[in-house]
Amino acid sequence: MAKDWFVIHTYSGYENKVKMNLEKRVESMNMEEKIFRVLVPMEDEIEFKNGKQKITKRKVYPGYVLVEMEMTDDSWYVVRNTPGVTGFVGTGTKPIPLLETEVIKILQQMGMDEIHTRIEFEINQSVQVIAGPFKDFVGVVREIFADKAKLRVEVSMFGRETPVELEFTQVQKLDY
C-alpha cells in the first residue's frame, strides 16, 4: 500500500498536544510501519517588539495537523481516536490524501522540502566516466540507485565487462 499525507482536524490550540499524543500512540500500539510522520505546519515570522527583531514560529494552518501514513482500518482507528482529533479532512467517511504538489508546497514553506533528484540517466544508456579511478572509460548503465545518487555501470576492462558503482557526478551521458 502507498503512504500518503492526510490532514486531521484538531481543536485550535491543541495541534502540538495532538502531535505528541499521536506519536505516543503510534509507538505504544506498534504502528510505526503504518504511521510515519506527524507535522504541525509552522513557519518563521519576524516580530518587532520594543525596537528589537524577534523570530517566532507561527502555525500556518491553525486547527490542522498533517499525518504521513498508509491508510488502513487500523491506522485510521489509531489516528481518529487520538485525544484532540476531531476527524480527518475529506468528504463523507473516506479521508482524502493531499496531492503531492500540496505536500511539497507545505514542506517548502516549513523549510523541510524533500530534495528530489532529477535523474538524467537511463538503463542501457552509454556514459563516459569523467572522474575517479575509471576516468575516461566508456560504459553502459545497468542499474540506477536514485536514493543514493549512484549508478551501476558496466565498463570494459581487459576485454571483460566489469560492473562498477559510480556517483551521478562521476559520469556524463554520451550523445551519439
Side-chain angles (χ1 to χ4, degrees), residues 43-138:
E43 67 182 0
D44 289 338
E45 190 173 70
I46 298 169
E47 227 176 79
F48 291 96
K49 270 192 181 170
N50 303 328
K52 289 192 171 82
Q53 181 178 322
K54 183 180 163 192
I55 296 175
T56 57
K57 293 271 186 205
R58 181 182 74 81
K59 289 183 186 99
V60 182
Y61 305 108
Y64 297 96
V65 174
L66 303 181
V67 183
E68 184 184 31
M69 62 188 280
E70 248 178 54
M71 185 55 72
T72 64
D73 290 343
D74 294 339
S75 61
W76 178 88
Y77 180 84
V78 169
V79 174
R80 182 65 189 88
N81 291 294
T82 299
V85 173
T86 57
F88 278 91
V89 172
T91 54
T93 56
K94 191 170 190 272
I96 297 172
L98 286 172
L99 297 173
E100 190 175 341
T101 53
E102 295 170 320
V103 174
I104 290 168
K105 186 178 172 209
I106 293 167
L107 293 175
Q108 283 173 338
Q109 197 171 8
M110 292 176 67
M112 294 176 61
D113 53 328
E114 296 164 351
I115 298 166
H116 293 283
T117 308
R118 208 170 104 234
I119 302 167
E120 298 177 1
F121 303 102
E122 297 171 16
I123 303 291
N124 297 327
Q125 178 181 47
S126 294
V127 293
Q128 178 164 5
V129 182
I130 57 171
F134 300 100
K135 186 176 190 301
D136 296 328
F137 276 79
V138 172

